[in-house]
Amino acid sequence: MQVICLGEDAFFELIDKLVEHIDQRFDERQQKWIDGSDAMKMLNIKALSTLQGLRNEGEIRYSQPSKKIILYDRDSINDYLEKHAKDTF
């Protein structure tokens, strides 16, 4: 068994980083609807027109609560990615 000794400042810094990491992961799971930039990051696409094409073709779900705001369903993006996943040989 290995024992790791930390100073008090290092210990509390580690705890703060851990709490911050957990909070970020929790927030990601809580957001069902994400904006276009987050959707593009999930899909690893650079062009807004590609995202619009997926939306127009019905490949991913979206909601438009107002004229200038378009939100994307995180679950439908994950489903789209799973649908297009290729199995290894």
Side-chain angles (χ1 to χ4, degrees), residues 31 33-48 51-52 55 60 68-72 74 77:
Q31 289 182 318
W33 297 98
I34 57 175
D35 65 6
S37 63
D38 289 337
M40 289 171 65
K41 285 178 191 172
M42 284 182 70
L43 292 163
N44 197 26
I45 57 176
K46 307 287 187 244
L48 194 57
L51 185 62
Q52 182 178 353
R55 185 178 73 223
I60 56 176
K68 293 186 178 184
I69 298 175
I70 300 174
L71 301 174
Y72 298 88
R74 179 186 297 273
I77 293 173

Side-chain angles (χ1 to χ4, degrees), residues 13-61:
E13 184 179 339
L14 179 63
I15 295 297
D16 289 343
K17 286 183 179 182
L18 180 63
V19 168
E20 181 180 298
H21 178 73
I22 291 171
D23 285 345
Q24 287 175 349
R25 300 286 292 195
F26 184 75
D27 285 343
E28 288 177 6
R29 286 190 220 146
Q30 292 298 325
Q31 289 182 318
K32 177 170 177 59
W33 297 98
I34 57 175
D35 65 6
S37 63
D38 289 337
M40 289 171 65
K41 285 178 191 172
M42 284 182 70
L43 292 163
N44 197 26
I45 57 176
K46 307 287 187 244
L48 194 57
S49 60
T50 304
L51 185 62
Q52 182 178 353
L54 292 171
R55 185 178 73 223
N56 292 344
E57 293 168 8
E59 295 286 346
I60 56 176
R61 290 183 64 220

Side-chain angles (χ1 to χ4, degrees), residues 31-32 41 63 66 81 83 86:
Q31 289 182 318
K32 177 170 177 59
K41 285 178 191 172
S63 176
S66 69
L81 291 171
K83 183 172 99 176
K86 305 294 183 207

